[in-house]
Amino acid sequence: MSQRVLTTESGAPVADNQNSATAGAGGPILVQDQHLLEKLARFNRERIPERVVHARGSGAYGYFEVTDDVTGFTRADFLSEVGRRTETFIRFSTVADSLGGADAVRDPRGFALKFYTNEGNYDLVGNNTPVFFIKDPVKFPDFIHSQKRDPFTGRQEPDNVWDFWANSPEATHQITWLMGDRGIPASYRHMHGFGSHTYQWTNAEGEAFFVKYHFKTNQGVRSLSAEQAAEQVGKDANSHQTDLLQAIERGVNPSWTLYVQIMPAAEAADYRFNPFDVTKVWPHADHPLRRVGRLVLDRNPDNVFAEVEQAAFSPNNFVPGIGPSPDKMLQGRLFAYADAQRYRLGINHTQLPVNAPKAATVDNYGRDGLHATRYGSRQDKNYEPNSYAGPAQTGQALAAPLPVHGWTGTHEAPAHAKDDDFFQAGELYRLMSADEKDRLIANIAGGLSQVTRDDVIEKNIAHFRAADADYGKRVEEAVRALRED
């Protein structure tokens, strides 16, 4: 095999990559050493801003295969035929910590999936929990600030974490999930994934349905206790990345079965609680799981930076037959996710290989900007309408229109008959075994007992008490015991 020639960025061969050019054998370095200056300048710019949330992540390629007919509910082409396969890329992540954090920590996990369909890329951006902490995106920056490092101490502060939760009763359900046994997955392969939000499907006849996505792991759910997680972090801070990488390299390809819950759009207005409230789940008794297909991961990225760090997901990347719902948190993410990537990666981040459509052709009037690689031919115009056979609109909406009414302004979500911030948290608690409850109480008390303000502690205990009297009583007793030690 012939030796490859090292070159500069402009393609010129490099004569010496071991010694800088100097004025004489012992003299100072010369500014004319283009290779040295280019190499150092590139090194200084190798990092891009990390994600504010979901900074630490792992990714893999795979495919989604349809196993069941859902054409009665959506006209999405990639779901149109049993046996149809669509290439995918997934990014798993932790939420609160930085890029240098550890994998085995108590934190929700991002579950972001990109389908490279022949009608364009479809991004489904969810978590490993079916619910979230807040209902309205205006609270999201404050929520994340409370969970991230304090600007003065430079560390995550229990006072901040629990103070925000004390003043956000809707977080009680997600707190119960996070502090329970599934709060620290043993690996990315051994956890479920959820779309979390409510989405809209529209069939060929124009009928609208609201759906929730459930990806059930076929490896079985495995989680770590707080003690096991601490030991794992000490052994390998990259434990989840290591596990995913090695499993796929061995040919042990992880898979998930996708199910959906389906609600006819007409039922939403009179449902007993707000079906677009991301702090709540839809009971399976009301809307059973319906199988759709399976997700299989079978290829590792060749370059983690290029394909995982630069992977950009946005919930507003829909395809015909799939659209948004009035879920307020989802509505906020439709803007925020794409905007975050424009900041991190530039306006042309969609042209990066991991983000560019693979089964569809991009044809629009977007031009120029930093890192532009798509220009079109010399005859193409950059405006519309035109008389030169440029791309034109289809006139066919991706999803069914949603009715709106009322006055503009800041409104609380419309109340349904049984809207409540605590009921489902209590139901989740009552479903737990005695051992699961013991661990839940210990996990909550371990953090809450470190809070310095009594009123913040009492507010949080009141939330748990509102969910279930025994739940609140046990948290109160456990916190008191730890504070008296």
Side-chain angles (χ1 to χ4, degrees), residues 268-283:
D270 296 323
Y271 195 57
R272 64 182 181 277
F273 59 82
N274 182 357
F276 310 118
D277 179 352
V278 74
T279 69
K280 294 181 175 62
V281 297
W282 295 357

Side-chain angles (χ1 to χ4, degrees), residues 200-221:
Q200 186 203 100
W201 276 6
T202 309
N203 65 17
E205 289 71 41
E207 294 177 287
F209 303 86
F210 292 119
V211 301
K212 282 185 175 288
Y213 294 93
H214 301 249
F215 289 85
K216 300 290 188 180
T217 176
N218 295 324
Q219 291 70 239
V221 172

Side-chain angles (χ1 to χ4, degrees), residues 115-176:
F115 298 83
Y116 299 102
T117 90
N118 62 358
E119 295 181 302
N121 289 353
Y122 171 44
D123 289 353
L124 180 57
V125 187
N127 287 320
N128 72 326
T129 61
V131 293
F132 196 60
F133 295 93
I134 54 176
K135 303 177 183 182
D136 194 301
V138 76
K139 298 178 71 171
F140 187 75
D142 300 296
F143 164 60
I144 294 301
H145 287 166
S146 75
Q147 309 298 300
K148 301 278 283 186
R149 296 176 186 272
D150 181 89
F152 172 65
T153 66
R155 62 173 195 159
Q156 189 182 54
E157 290 292 346
D159 276 354
N160 300 355
V161 171
W162 289 96
D163 182 41
F164 183 89
W165 288 344
N167 292 287
S168 304
E170 72 264 33
T172 307
H173 193 186
Q174 174 74 318
I175 294 169
T176 307

Side-chain angles (χ1 to χ4, degrees), residues 242 264 275:
T242 301

Side-chain angles (χ1 to χ4, degrees), residues 21-38:
T22 59
I29 288 175
L30 300 177
V31 76
Q32 72 183 42
D33 189 341
Q34 183 263 352
H35 175 54
L36 170 67
L37 300 187
E38 179 181 82

Side-chain angles (χ1 to χ4, degrees), residues 120-337:
N121 289 353
Y122 171 44
D123 289 353
L124 180 57
V125 187
N127 287 320
N128 72 326
T129 61
V131 293
F132 196 60
F133 295 93
I134 54 176
K135 303 177 183 182
D136 194 301
V138 76
K139 298 178 71 171
F140 187 75
D142 300 296
F143 164 60
I144 294 301
H145 287 166
S146 75
Q147 309 298 300
K148 301 278 283 186
R149 296 176 186 272
D150 181 89
F152 172 65
T153 66
R155 62 173 195 159
Q156 189 182 54
E157 290 292 346
D159 276 354
N160 300 355
V161 171
W162 289 96
D163 182 41
F164 183 89
W165 288 344
N167 292 287
S168 304
E170 72 264 33
T172 307
H173 193 186
Q174 174 74 318
I175 294 169
T176 307
W177 271 89
L178 180 62
M179 297 299 174
D181 278 0
R182 296 189 181 185
I184 313 177
S187 79
Y188 290 131
R189 296 184 296 129
H190 294 93
M191 67 181 193
H192 295 327
F194 301 88
S196 301
H197 298 288
T198 301
Y199 294 89
Q200 186 203 100
W201 276 6
T202 309
N203 65 17
E205 289 71 41
E207 294 177 287
F209 303 86
F210 292 119
V211 301
K212 282 185 175 288
Y213 294 93
H214 301 249
F215 289 85
K216 300 290 188 180
T217 176
N218 295 324
Q219 291 70 239
V221 172
R222 287 179 49 208
S223 303
L224 302 175
S225 67
E227 295 75 20
Q228 290 171 325
E231 182 179 355
Q232 184 68 267
V233 169
K235 289 179 178 178
D236 180 8
N238 307 297
S239 56
H240 288 30
Q241 164 69 13
T242 301
D243 175 85
L244 182 65
L245 174 75
Q246 293 181 351
I248 295 175
E249 288 297 293
R250 295 195 313 268
V252 181
N253 297 331
S255 66
W256 287 257
T257 300
L258 171 61
Y259 299 86
V260 293
Q261 290 178 283
I262 300 177
M263 175 188 293
E267 291 184 12
D270 296 323
Y271 195 57
R272 64 182 181 277
F273 59 82
N274 182 357
F276 310 118
D277 179 352
V278 74
T279 69
K280 294 181 175 62
V281 297
W282 295 357
H284 291 185
D286 292 353
H287 302 285
L289 295 179
R290 180 186 293 266
R291 193 176 68 175
V292 179
R294 67 185 185 118
L295 170 68
V296 179
L297 304 182
D298 60 5
R299 179 164 68 89
N300 283 310
D302 293 327
N303 184 285
V304 172
F305 176 82
E307 297 167 274
V308 180
E309 185 64 12
Q310 292 193 135
F313 299 85
S314 176
N316 64 9
N317 287 338
F318 292 113
V319 293
I322 303 178
S325 79
D327 180 335
K328 292 180 77 171
M329 278 298 296
L330 172 61
Q331 292 284 324
R333 296 175 81 199
L334 298 181
F335 162 75
Y337 271 61

